Amino acid sequence: MSKERVKSQDLGITRYQLFCVIAASASSINSGWNLAVTNIAGDIITKCLGGPQRSIGGLPSCIPTSDIVWGVAVGAYALGALCGALSSTRFSNKYGRRWVLLYSNVVGLGASVVLALSANIAMVMVGRVAAGIAQGAANGTFTTYVVEITTPRARTSLASMTQMAVSTGMLLAFALSLATLEPPLWRVLFGVTGMLCIVSMALMCLCVESPRWLGMNGRAAQAEAALVRLRSGADVTEELDLITMTASEGGSSRTASVVELLCGRTPDNLRHQLLVAVGLMFFQQASGISSIGFFSTTLFSSISSTSDAAHDVSKPTVPQELSVVLMAAGAAATLGGMFLAGYWGRRPLLLAGHGGMAVFSVLVAAGNLAAAPRLAVGAVFLYFIIFFIGPGPLPWAIPNELTPTYASAAVMAVNNSVCYLGIFIVGLAFAPLLSLTGGYTFLIFAATNAAAFVFLLLFLPETKDGDVAELVAVHSVGIHRVWPVKRKCVTPND
């Protein structure tokens, strides 16, 4: 008597699923790298801390510029990523998720060449914009790809891989920055993004296309072949039938554009999904987290009473070392958050995350105002760690868990656009804001995190272990509150 095969949708994480997720994560590692690479190297490049500007190999050892102009150069990456995220929907829907993840690296390679050979600040800005376009297109597509190739059980943990990959990239950028403090080694940092692009292209060549995208485009045979590889010999019949049925009900290759989504011209009423996607990412950035990603060294220097004016540039300062430790703590917290999301669910982690960040923001401000650097630094660490447990990874995962396949690329494009717009604004405004408000800066972030808590309490549904089709059916009824739950009154005559 033959043993009945396990249904594919009942599987957890398989080896090939995990390989494809890790391979695709290279693009998000690159995104984290580009977000953090200017942090420690910034003063070396713009303030010529390694000595007066001189020519090394025909290129300047540093590029003197003002803080405001450097802020624009730093934020230019996010501006490019915004453009990449908005354009990714068309390419992702037309050519496939894997195609975008593979070929966005070509633009990234070009960007790395421009950055590594920059002779002036204008070239840095152009390179940052180009790198942003490449990573903006890939980063949002990565989340969609992960959700579409994983089973519900595997998705509980792996859907948070976007933030894990971004955290890893930031940690690598900070760690390598400490070894490349002397000019012109900062150019090596800019060139690493090209190496990551080559690794990403090589790995993605070994991965399959999203079965859901294949089914949506009428390629049932290819969708079945992809499922067989991803599900490690399990019975894929039921899952393939569901993909085929969903595609036929949605009009096969019918996909929603960003304009259709924003104007409400979709088969399902996705206004609540759009509100959740935009709200999650808006509050993620309004929490103030990008200020630490871009300017943690500056922030720790402002908290510390020590001066590094006469410091040997070849040796890391205490604020620089603290920044590396902070990034390591963030990466570890993200890994922990991936597992906690599977036990506690998305909603409790996000509520605890933003609530905790509000409290720790107040403590950062209190430490600054009371001249208690240990309190302020400790609060920054706790603020950063709790972000990566919930508010960091989950806004990338939840929108796809609430959205039908035909609209997932459009929803993630809007989601990512809000993220990168926030990063651009923070990159441009945080340094002047810190100078203007001093110790009160984090009180602003305390208020935005408190507002996030209220928003999540009212509108965020739980998606843990949920079937996407069922979640879509329940929440495609327009904007509605999920708390408090309305209860039907029962009278004695009923």
Side-chain angles (χ1 to χ4, degrees):
M1 185 176 179
S2 60
K3 186 178 179 180
E4 186 178 351
R5 288 192 297 170
V6 178
K7 292 182 179 179
S8 61
Q9 290 174 302
D10 295 332
L11 288 176
I13 300 173
T14 65
R15 283 183 294 181
Y16 189 63
Q17 268 187 84
L18 183 60
F19 171 79
C20 288
V21 170
I22 293 174
S25 72
S27 61
S28 291
I29 291 174
N30 211 341
S31 180
W33 177 275
N34 281 288
L35 284 171
V37 72
T38 55
N39 188 309
I40 291 178
D43 286 347
I44 307 295
I45 297 171
T46 63
K47 295 183 171 60
C48 297
L49 297 185
Q53 187 185 49
R54 59 192 186 280
S55 178
I56 302 176
L59 295 171
S61 60
C62 57
I63 304 174
T65 189
S66 68
D67 288 342
I68 294 177
V69 174
W70 181 245
V72 174
V74 169
Y77 171 78
L79 195 62
L82 172 64
C83 298
L86 288 173
S87 64
S88 67
T89 304
R90 178 181 179 183
F91 295 108
S92 177
N93 285 336
K94 185 174 182 179
Y95 299 108
R97 321 310 193 199
R98 177 177 173 271
W99 188 93
V100 173
L101 289 167
L102 186 62
Y103 290 104
S104 60
N105 289 298
V106 175
V107 180
L109 275 170
S112 70
V113 173
V114 174
L115 285 167
L117 300 179
S118 293
N120 50 58
I121 196 64
M123 290 184 69
V124 174
M125 289 182 182
V126 170
R128 293 279 290 171
V129 169
I133 291 172
Q135 303 314 318
N139 210 31
T141 304
F142 167 59
T143 306
T144 302
Y145 180 74
V146 171
V147 169
E148 291 183 355
I149 69 171
T150 53
T151 62
R153 284 177 56 196
R155 193 179 307 132
T156 298
S157 297
L158 296 180
S160 300
M161 274 294 292
T162 301
Q163 190 61 58
M164 182 69 227
V166 170
S167 301
T168 301
M170 294 177 73
L171 174 60
L172 291 173
F174 273 76
L176 189 56
S177 292
L178 293 186
T180 54
L181 292 175
E182 292 187 89
L185 294 180
W186 55 266
R187 295 184 181 277
V188 175
L189 296 176
F190 284 151
V192 167
T193 189
M195 297 169 59
L196 291 172
C197 286
I198 294 172
V199 171
S200 178
M201 292 181 74
L203 291 176
M204 285 308 300
C205 288
L206 304 175
C207 298
V208 295
E209 181 55 85
S210 157
R212 284 200 213 171
W213 181 84
L214 292 168
M216 186 175 65
N217 285 272
R219 304 180 188 179
Q222 293 178 342
E224 181 178 11
L227 280 174
V228 169
R229 293 193 68 185
L230 290 165
R231 303 300 182 252
S232 298
D235 184 0
V236 301
T237 305
E238 188 175 310
E239 186 174 2
L240 182 63
D241 288 343
L242 181 61
I243 289 174
T244 305
M245 181 182 67
T246 304
S248 61
E249 289 177 354
S252 188
S253 60
R254 173 77 173 88
T255 57
S257 67
V258 171
V259 173
E260 289 173 329
L261 176 69
L262 295 177
C263 295
R265 298 199 301 265
T266 52
D268 299 290
N269 186 336
L270 302 179
R271 294 190 184 279
H272 192 79
Q273 286 88 334
L274 183 62
L275 173 70
V276 169
V278 171
L280 284 171
M281 199 56 79
F282 169 80
F283 283 114
Q284 185 199 67
Q285 293 306 312
S287 71
I289 195 65
S290 291
S291 64
I292 296 180
F294 282 145
F295 300 108
S296 63
T297 305
T298 302
L299 178 63
F300 285 136
S301 296
S302 71
I303 292 173
S304 173
S305 59
T306 58
S307 174
D308 294 314
H311 184 80
D312 182 356
V313 72
S314 65
K315 298 179 181 179
T317 63
V318 171
Q320 289 170 346
E321 291 173 336
L322 282 173
S323 295
V324 175
V325 175
L326 184 68
M327 291 302 139
T334 305
L335 187 60
M338 290 173 63
F339 292 102
L340 287 175
Y343 289 98
W344 287 359
R346 279 71 160 124
R347 182 177 162 89
L349 278 183
L350 280 165
L351 287 170
H354 279 291
M357 290 176 75
V359 172
F360 295 132
S361 294
V362 172
L363 292 178
V364 173
N368 262 321
L369 295 172
R374 290 184 179 180
L375 172 62
V377 170
V380 167
F381 268 81
L382 292 172
Y383 165 96
F384 198 67
I385 288 170
I386 202 168
F387 169 84
F388 281 102
I389 291 176
L394 295 178
W396 299 98
I398 290 174
N400 270 310
E401 296 175 338
L402 286 169
T403 308
T405 303
Y406 70 83
S408 59
V411 169
M412 287 311 298
V414 175
N415 175 273
N416 279 255
S417 298
V418 173
C419 172
Y420 294 124
L421 184 60
I423 291 173
F424 175 72
I425 293 171
V426 170
L428 195 62
F430 180 74
L433 183 66
L434 185 63
S435 299
L436 180 66
T437 62
Y440 293 97
T441 303
F442 271 79
L443 291 180
I444 299 172
F445 299 145
T448 56
N449 279 292
F453 184 92
V454 175
F455 171 83
L456 297 170
L457 189 66
L458 295 176
F459 299 111
L460 178 67
E462 180 55 73
T463 60
K464 174 181 174 289
D465 295 333
D467 179 77
V468 174
E470 292 178 2
L471 288 168
V472 169
V474 170
H475 296 289
S476 295
V477 292
I479 296 174
H480 58 281
R481 289 182 302 168
V482 300
W483 186 90
V485 178
K486 293 184 179 179
R487 300 183 183 277
K488 182 180 179 180
C489 295
V490 180
T491 65
N493 295 327
D494 287 346

